[in-house]
């Protein structure tokens, strides 16, 4: 009996590691997050084969289940394919023909065993792939088949299987695998093992679980890596424990670990959630001093914060930060945010300056609400001639929404601007709106 089966045969029930008591909470969220990330990775890798582009996929879809493995054996492309090829085949079949996707996996494992492949990497890739799909029974089958071939698992294999179990919410089996590793002389848990558990509890927002595994790793003699800190910072921010996330961020910086963009985005998200404007200013200085550029996700968070607080000066500074970096699709929204805040405050000259800057930059308004904020400002200030000029400016680049026409109609009627109202109604009819 192999080591894995022997361990479970000796126990009447799965073991739960005492480091994290009381952790048997529902794991649906972990499963959902992991599967979304897996399919996003599949979609952003080389494109999965479409039926028109992949004759083998067409054949597999047409074949009865009994003919799937025969078709795979007869197809010469599968004989020389790398892992990404069969992974995409499985991904393409997963939802439309899940039984056939399973048969492709079985064929791949059978091929490894028949050819007496003794390297660990092919088995590792198969286990990791099955884990990403949530196919834990087959990942276990690969593991036991590998052992039966005399291939002794290493830490990477165990970590992949542990990740698969955690991603499907089976924490008990994952903890049992950890104990197996801990009992083996040549396959002890490494930092990656502990990080797998920290990451799983991070996805749940379980601060107790994260801290327990973080401290356990340190007790075992491991120094936290950037992966450790990423899971801790994101997990504590998502659970609303911003002060704890800050402490880990400062600890990471103090030990000279350079944060990645994921960590920086999470840190900024936390500052924006608590609307800590001074902290945001300091963080932006940290970003620029470190030579990073703002990502679109960062700009989105800052834009919403500044709009909520109504701080147009900070939005102007944000434009300055964006000019230092790449072009952003969110740039027009920042300009429109500035325009909207000026309009709300009836700062007519500043609003018109911001409008000119938007249009001269080759951009257009992003939504009817921005235009309607400008129109309301003109009506409040009774600047009707300037409103006419504004409408002329955007006439060729923007089709007014029905709500915008209705706003203009109401304003012209209120101020008894009947000549303008008649022209507007004619314009509405040309645009396909009834008066």
């Amino acid at each position: 009996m192999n080591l894995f089966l022997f361990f479970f045969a000796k126990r009447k029930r799965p073991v739960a590691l005492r480091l994290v008591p009381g952790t048997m909470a529902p794991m649906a969220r972990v499963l959902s997050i992991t599967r979304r990330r897996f399919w996003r990775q599949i979609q952003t890798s080389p494109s999965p084969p479409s039926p028109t582009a992949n004759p083998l996929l067409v054949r597999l879809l047409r074949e009865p289940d009994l003919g799937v493995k025969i078709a795979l054996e007869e197809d010469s492309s599968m004989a020389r394919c790398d892992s990404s090829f069969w992974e995409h085949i499985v991904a393409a079949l997963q939802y439309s023909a899940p039984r056939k996707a399973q048969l492709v996996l079985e064929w791949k494992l059978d091929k490894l065993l028949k050819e007496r492949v003794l390297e660990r990497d092919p088995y590792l890739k198969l286990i990791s792939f099955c884990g990403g799909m949530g196919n834990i029974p087959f990942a276990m089958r690969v593991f036991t088949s590998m052992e039966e071939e005399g291939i002794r698992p290493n830490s990477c294999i165990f970590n992949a299987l542990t990740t698969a179990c955690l991603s499907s919410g089976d924490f008990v089996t994952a903890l049992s695998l950890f104990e197996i590793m801990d009992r083996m002389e040549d396959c002890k848990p490494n930092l990656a093992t502990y990080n797998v558990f920290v990451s799983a509890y991070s996805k749940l927002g379980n601060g107790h679980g994260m801290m327990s595994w973080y401290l356990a790793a340190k007790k075992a003699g491991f120094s936290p890596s950037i992966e450790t800190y990423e899971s801790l910072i994101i997990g504590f921010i998502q659970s609303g424990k911003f002060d704890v996330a800050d402490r880990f961020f400062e600890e990471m910086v103090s030990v000279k670990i350079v944060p990645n963009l994921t960590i920086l985005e999470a840190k900024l998200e936390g500052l924006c959630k608590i609307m800590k404007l001074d902290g945001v200013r300091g963080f932006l200085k940290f970003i620029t001093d470190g030579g990073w550029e703002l990502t679109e996700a960062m700009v989105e968070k800052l834009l919403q914060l500044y709009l909520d607080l109504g701080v147009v000066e900070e939005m102007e500074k944000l434009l300055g930060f964006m000019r230092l970096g790449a072009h952003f699709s969110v740039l027009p929204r920042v300009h429109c945010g500035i325009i909207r805040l000026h309009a709300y405050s009836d700062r007519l000259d500043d609003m018109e300056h911001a409008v000119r800057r938007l249009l001269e930059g080759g951009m257009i308004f992003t939504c009817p609400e921005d235009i309607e904020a400008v129109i309301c400002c003109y009506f409040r200030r009774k600047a009707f001639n300037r409103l006419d000029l504004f409408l002329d400016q955007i006439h060729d680049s923007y089709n007014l929404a029905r709500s915008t026409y209705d706003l203009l109609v109401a304003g012209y009627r209120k101020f008894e601007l009947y000549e303008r109202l008649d022209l507007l109604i004619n314009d509405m009819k040309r645009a396909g709106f009834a008066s």
Side-chain angles (χ1 to χ4, degrees), residues 8 31 44 70 147 173 253 288 432:
F8 282 96
L31 179 59
T44 55
I70 297 173
E147 280 201 301
T173 303
V253 174
T288 54

Side-chain angles (χ1 to χ4, degrees), residues 53 79 86 147 156 174 176 233 245 258 263 305 313 343 373-374 382 407 414 422 428:
W86 62 262
E147 280 201 301
C156 291
S176 298
I233 292 167
V258 179
I263 293 174
L305 173 67
E313 297 83 4
V374 173
K382 297 182 181 180
L407 177 64
K414 176 180 178 179
D422 290 340
M428 288 180 66

Side-chain angles (χ1 to χ4, degrees), residues 19 155 159 178 181-182 184-185 187-198 211-229 232 248 251 255 257:
L19 283 170
S155 296
N159 289 343
F178 180 89
M181 296 178 71
D182 204 35
M184 297 174 68
E185 292 299 326
C187 194
K188 293 288 186 183
N190 55 22
L191 178 58
T193 313
Y194 290 95
N195 282 345
V196 165
F197 284 94
V198 176
M211 285 299 299
S212 296
W213 284 98
Y214 163 76
L215 294 173
K218 294 188 76 171
K219 185 177 180 180
F222 297 109
S223 298
S225 64
I226 190 169
E227 290 79 15
T228 316
Y229 285 116
L232 291 167
F248 278 115
E251 177 184 310
V255 296
I257 294 180

Side-chain angles (χ1 to χ4, degrees), residues 22-40:
T23 56
M24 296 307 296
M27 301 302 170
R29 184 179 170 198
V30 172
L31 179 59
S32 174
I33 291 171
T34 304
R35 285 182 174 172
R36 284 201 304 270
R37 288 183 176 177
F38 170 74
W39 290 114
R40 191 181 303 122

Side-chain angles (χ1 to χ4, degrees), residues 4 14 20 30 70 72 76-77 79 96 129 133 153 197 214 323 328 333 338 386 390 397 417:
F4 183 67
V20 191
V30 172
I70 297 173
L72 292 169
S76 59
S77 62
S96 59
F129 183 78
M133 293 175 61
F197 284 94
Y214 163 76
R323 291 192 194 101
F328 293 89
R333 291 189 55 215
I338 293 171
R386 294 168 78 167
F390 168 72
S397 61
L417 302 171

